[in-house]
Amino acid sequence: MKVLMFGWEFPPHILGGLGTASYGLTKGMSQQQDMEITFCIPRPWGDEDQSFLRIIGMNSTPVVWRDVDWEYVKGRVGSYMDPQLYYDLRDHIYADFNYLNANDLGCIEFSGRYPANLHEEINNYSIVAGVIARQQEFEIIHSHDWLTYPAGIHAKQVSGKPLVIHVHATDFDRSRGNVNPTVYAIEKNGMDHADHIMCVSELTRQTVINKYFQDPRKVSTVHNAVSPLPQEIQDIVPQKKPNEKVVTFLGRITMQKGPEYFVEAAAMVLHRTRNIRFVMAGNGDMMNQMIRLVAERGIADRFHFPGFMKGSQVYEMLKASDVYIMPSVSEPFGISPLEAMQCSVPTIISKQSGCAEILEKCIKTDYWDIHAMADAIYAICTYPALYEYLRDEGKKEVDGIKWEDVGLKVRRIYEEVIKQYNR
């Protein structure tokens, strides 16, 4: 089966959970012998793993015809794309895009991030998708998150192939209900045009049905999974102090993630004992606010803000932790608790997270219940039997949650969608 997939980020260059999920899902799907995935991202960097899929960079797909020689094209795109593909795509430019700010290859530049002109990049991405959809061979289109829904719609209109969209989050999750009307309109338009909608949790599925008014029959829950730890990560030996416990929050420090509840729970725990350190790893628009709150609560000497972490840094931090906590206000899924449990770290999650639907060997509290959160932290740090149970059983549980199984479920959805579409 040939799949044309649109995404916004791909490891090792990730800015959030979307890239991690995209990698895990495509790697899991690639275990199927006949699965061929072409994955489009705004800007490849050349160090992406293309052993199980092919990556096309929107920034190296021409939208304006240029007379350029092979060696020059090879020098510009050869690290991540076959130069011949550039010429093949050039033959499928479908309109006069000279009004766009194209470079010397006739391509549009993309930041590969989430820039101030994000909506302009989303629009340009959808234009480039039209060229790719005319040139590539595929049976189904798969668009990840709202940023690529317009591209999916355009590819569907160009190719006449069915569109599946993957909802990793909605603006209701990101904004605590204070929805951006422009983003909502893009999300709803994608859902309206989709032949099927995959959601990362039942929580998200209900949001899609009730807030975006979608037919429940075309909306499925497809929970995320976790990738096996590579050997170099397994070999990391954590640096731990024997008489001190470490409790970690790791994620974007934003309203959605509930960082203030973590700080308040930490203050309660530190009124009972002082042998615990708290770590808030990540960055975000509430970082300074959290630093001030820590100071106001008088716990700055036991609280650390190491900043954004990626790759092996994440696992070094997790392995050095005695407790991992995700107090999200609204979390469509949340892969990080699975990663923590994989590292044998006892985990506390909010009941308002999608992963709570599939995890049992962890402690679940309401995000706002800082008393319950503080009790859970204190108990894990104080009672060895509870710590060991959550450590061992948690790891056992997540080791059975595999992307390969998720890939098979996605395949069944594809087959049903294609069958219905061709009727």
Side-chain angles (χ1 to χ4, degrees), residues 16-36:
L18 180 60
T20 304
S22 296
Y23 179 87
L25 176 63
T26 50
K27 189 80 184 280
M29 290 170 65
S30 72
Q31 302 302 306
Q32 300 163 35
Q33 292 295 315
D34 64 337
M35 186 63 71
E36 293 180 33

Side-chain angles (χ1 to χ4, degrees), residues 23 26 47 54 75 117 124 142 153 183 191 212 229 264 320-321 328 332 350:
Y23 179 87
T26 50
D47 53 355
R54 181 174 57 156
N117 67 331
N124 288 343
H142 187 149
I153 294 168
V183 175
M191 293 174 193
Y212 294 84
L229 291 178
E264 297 291 6
S321 303
S328 296
S350 72

